[in-house]
Amino acid sequence: MKADTAAIAALVTLLRRQTEVDLQPHWRLAPATVQAEGCLIAQGFETWSIAERNEKQHIAWPRGQKTLWLACCWTIPDRCDRWPVADMALRLALTWWAEAAEVYVDGQLVQTGDLFDCSSRVLLRDMAQPGDRLQLLLRLVSPGHDDGALVRSQLIFESSTDLPELSFLGQELAVVNSFAEQLQPELLPKLEAIAQSFADLDCSQADTADRLARLRDQLAAIAAPIRQRRVSLLGHAHLDLAWLWPVAETWEAAQRTFESVLQLQAAFPELTFGHSTPALYEWIERNRPDLFVAIQAQIAAGRWEVNAGPWVEPELNLVSAESLVRQLLYGQRYSTETLGVQNRVAWLPDSFGFCWQLPQLLQQAGIDTFVTQKLRWNDSTQFPHGLFRWRSPDGSEVLALMSAPIGTGIDPEAIANYSWEWEQQTGSQESLWLPGVGDHGGGPTRDMLEQARRWQQSPCFPQLQFETLTAYLERLGDRDRLPVWNNELYLEFHRGCYTSHADQKAYNRQAETALYSAEVWASFASLLTGADYPKVNLEAAWKATLFNQFHDILPGSAIPEVYADADPEWQQAIATAHQVKSEALTAIAAHIAWTAPPRSTAQPWLIFNDLPGDRSTVIAIDGHWRIFDLSGQELPSQFTPTETLVAVTVSGMGWLGLWREAAIATIQAIDPTAPLHLSNDWLSAEIDPETGDLLQLRDRQGRELLDGQGNQYQRFQDQGQYWDAWNIDPAYEQHPLPSPELQSLTWLEQGPLRWRLRRILSCDRSTITQDYVLTVADPWLKLETTIDWQQRHELLKVAFPTTVSAPVATYEMAAGAIARARQPQTPAEAAQWEVPALRWADLSDLQGGLAILNDCKYGYDCRDRQLRLTLLRGSTWPDPQADLGQHQFAYAIYPHPDSWQAAGVAPLARRLNQPLTGQPAPFAQGALQPSQTLLNWNADQLLPLALKRSETGDRWLLRCYEAIGQTAELVLTGDRTWQIGARLDGLEQPLSSSSTEVQPWQIASFELLQPTQEN
């Protein structure tokens, strides 16, 4: 068998050698002074050194944007090996790994490229003539982060006769062989016999053409089952909105790509092209209306498919459920209203993993199919399905397609191997291939389309046909037979993206939080006072936020210029949200009727709560004041050098009115010798005087939750990864670095309402300043942290070794929670050694547990009984300055004696992120009371996502989700009588059901009918 298999391989090699020339050994190193347009021989070509090849036969040179000039002078022979080549077309096939590439032929620049447009087939001669000398010159610039390489260079002679060139025939043989090996091994003996019968083939003999024709006929007979297979082609051009180039360059690339596609469609009527990203179409509409009209015409003709769904192709692990709702809402609205298409497909080929609730969110937005190829990048296990039903925790399902790789051409052997793999995995004899240059745009090329036409005529290849994704999906058959994936789609790669460029993560959390609050209060202001609802401003802020959630901006994997653009956009979105909220609160305050103040100099003060449920906490008011309730009773307070602290309880979605009067502060003296102990009704904590770490943490029942020092900073070397900003070194724990050393430990506040203990640590060039903050009213110990981070290629975590024994840790995801193994039992579980989460993670057993809440961090790990939060990294590519400088954030530890559900971990994390808002109020005589509960509901596990005006019309809607996995009934309460109207989908359209019952893990939207005042 081995000898026969070798015979097939030998015949493939023989055939390809007749019309292909490996050019790699023929390149010489040209000097930097070479004149591209001049004669290479005259410039000393024959004296230049031969370029060395490495073990992969690549011509490599150092990283760091170094320029390499390669030259080749080659005379066309009479024969290539033994086959005559006169009058055949001659192409130069190249593949490079270079930041920039220029190809010169006979002194003329004929092709340019980069890291993404990294291969080329240049036509050198329409009809090759023996004795004709070719002068080839390449200018290649290495990437800044990686060595450059000329990976492949070939000369290929092509035939225009009925009998194709021999290398084409060799590829056909390779395709038939792979088909037999993978799908129909019973064909191998016949194929082996054919190979043996042609072992004596001498391509210099007069009967060679006849023998080759017989060979092809014999192959075609064996390949008859192959022709029963079908490969659908959809032209594609993955276009990252920003990555190794700024957004402005993306607009230029989009124009070039779309113009190229339209030109090719005129020359190749069969070409069908698909593209995503409504945000990109909107830019074209506004800035290139002529191009937009041409695209619309092709959409109407069915030759251009809008595969959009979300507004951009976003990061999908780090954003909130409401952000995903808006991605889909704005994307679908634009596609429907402007492009005339409501998408049924979410096209997400390149995002770095996919949260478990995505099927539910897609289904609610009218999308029934999800497409990606990213899990092909897994570094540990192979994802088991190519076509499957993906199910969310609530039971919602979409069809999920693991597509072919993107950024590919018409490589027949790659297409064939993918098709056989697809058939083995799914049972389907119809596969989908996506030809087109990607990442930086480009799309299909003329050569790809010409190649597709040639291979469509091959008797040894599946049928090729351009068509839309929708048409392809409709033929996939019964979906009920497909396997079900009832979990997240975790990418076993790019785990550093949960942490890199921490400023982007902070901006994202701030924007999401601010926009929620702005819409809540703008809605109440409009309903209660008639104030205008600032829809235009809110939409602009949302769209800026959604744009920056793109999967190479928010993950922190772009160049500095991208963040120079993104940062002001984030800041403007957050500022807009704050302004909208401020104006709304001011409008509400102006309609509140106040009674006489308890003291003549007292002034009204309001505290607003935009979450359901009563909230008891300690608030800080700038300045020094005496604080009175509405009855005139002075409230206990505490002065700091700049603030007044007061403990309050504010009802859900409402406000509390107080009086304040200027006071002369008496600041309590600090006892520097006080024990390093913090306690309130919920917890107690002891601090180690030597390290500043937690010695012990107890819940309200006295259970000790730490098994070793907690709140301990851990440093690790984190380097050696090609994808520097994306990937954490899998072996980082084998490279620990010294922990930060304690420099000081100082009491700043000692009650009676708030205690604050500050520790300062240093490590190398960095400084950590952290305050332990405990109040009488909050059930958590808060860690307010400022880090001046100057480390490179390091990973910083904070660790909590616990006494909790549990098989899983639980993490917040968008609109839900996910349990992941603490002690992995499978390779896939072991690959989840760093995982994403939103605002909290929890480790609990039957007796209770410990939760970590945070205000802007997303990376966690839990192994054995140690729960850790990842704080910072120090990558240098693609942004050399990533994460350098000041970082301010907070996290909190919440020990609890019950399950995370019973302990209210999810709503508490919302409260940490959504603090109460205080603001002065004027004396007014309006219809509103100084303290009111505007809107509340009975079920604590129903957490709000949005309260807003509808995108069309004058309706109001409330969106919430069930957060602990138990059915709940939405019953509205408050000082006003609210009515629940129609139940809505994610596009704000009415559903047939009007039930107010919310199923476990379900996202539910309701029309909110305007209230009437209770008598």
Side-chain angles (χ1 to χ4, degrees), residues 21 23-24 26-30 34-36 38-41 45 48 69-75 90-94 102-108 110 122-125 133-139 150 153-155:
V21 177
L23 214 55
Q24 291 289 88
H26 299 281
W27 293 101
R28 294 176 183 263
L29 299 174
V34 65
Q35 298 298 308
C39 174
L40 297 181
I41 297 294
F45 169 79
W48 299 340
W69 287 92
L70 294 174
C72 179
C73 292
W74 196 79
T75 301
L90 177 59
R91 291 185 184 273
L92 172 64
L94 298 170
E102 296 173 357
V103 182
Y104 295 85
V105 176
D106 298 330
Q108 300 296 315
V110 298
V122 177
L123 181 62
L124 301 178
R125 298 289 189 266
R133 172 173 286 176
L134 301 171
Q135 179 175 285
L136 308 176
L137 186 67
L138 305 180
R139 179 182 180 271
L150 179 62
S153 57
Q154 287 179 310
L155 292 174

Side-chain angles (χ1 to χ4, degrees), residues 3-54:
D4 293 333
T5 302
I8 297 173
L11 183 55
V12 169
T13 301
L14 173 66
L15 292 170
R16 299 190 71 158
R17 194 169 64 230
Q18 304 311 306
T19 51
E20 290 181 355
V21 177
D22 181 8
L23 214 55
Q24 291 289 88
H26 299 281
W27 293 101
R28 294 176 183 263
L29 299 174
T33 56
V34 65
Q35 298 298 308
E37 67 281 0
C39 174
L40 297 181
I41 297 294
Q43 295 182 68
F45 169 79
E46 294 179 349
T47 67
W48 299 340
S49 301
I50 296 291
E52 293 185 3
R53 290 164 288 156
N54 61 21

Side-chain angles (χ1 to χ4, degrees), residues 121-327:
R121 281 170 36 95
V122 177
L123 181 62
L124 301 178
R125 298 289 189 266
D126 290 317
M127 299 179 70
Q129 298 302 315
D132 185 9
R133 172 173 286 176
L134 301 171
Q135 179 175 285
L136 308 176
L137 186 67
L138 305 180
R139 179 182 180 271
L140 303 171
V141 179
S142 64
H145 66 290
D146 194 21
D147 292 347
L150 179 62
V151 177
R152 177 182 67 109
S153 57
Q154 287 179 310
L155 292 174
I156 302 174
F157 292 92
E158 294 183 348
S159 171
S160 59
T161 66
D162 290 340
L163 182 65
E165 66 273 11
L166 275 67
S167 59
F168 191 96
L169 184 55
Q171 287 182 294
E172 288 181 322
L173 175 56
V175 166
V176 176
N177 183 53
S178 68
F179 174 77
E181 287 183 332
Q182 296 186 48
L183 291 179
Q184 293 194 14
E186 67 273 15
L187 297 177
L188 278 173
K190 294 181 182 180
L191 190 60
E192 292 159 358
I194 291 172
Q196 290 281 12
S197 69
F198 283 88
D200 63 344
L201 181 66
D202 182 349
C203 293
S204 65
Q205 298 301 309
D207 66 344
T208 300
D210 291 338
R211 292 194 70 188
L212 292 174
R214 290 197 298 273
L215 170 61
R216 200 175 196 220
D217 288 342
Q218 293 178 44
L219 287 179
I222 291 180
I226 296 179
R227 291 299 285 172
Q228 298 171 7
R229 271 72 179 171
R230 178 171 174 168
V231 177
S232 296
L233 302 176
L234 177 63
H236 181 243
H238 183 61
L239 187 54
D240 286 321
L241 295 177
W243 181 25
L244 303 182
W245 50 87
V247 173
E249 190 172 322
T250 300
W251 306 139
E252 296 174 3
Q255 293 175 76
R256 291 194 303 270
T257 299
F258 293 170
E259 288 170 341
S260 171
V261 170
L262 293 170
Q263 291 167 5
L264 288 170
Q265 286 181 323
F268 297 83
E270 69 271 25
L271 172 58
T272 303
F273 179 76
H275 206 275
S276 65
T277 314
L280 188 55
Y281 288 106
E282 184 184 64
W283 187 92
I284 296 291
E285 178 192 12
R286 292 177 176 176
N287 295 276
R288 282 293 308 278
D290 58 326
L291 181 56
F292 187 73
V293 169
I295 292 171
Q296 284 182 305
Q298 293 296 73
I299 292 172
R303 299 178 64 200
W304 188 300
E305 188 173 33
V306 181
N307 296 318
W311 185 242
V312 303
E313 295 178 16
E315 157 58 40
L316 290 158
N317 283 314
L318 311 185
V319 302
S320 69
E322 189 60 28
S323 285
L324 294 174
V325 170
R326 301 307 173 92
Q327 288 279 2

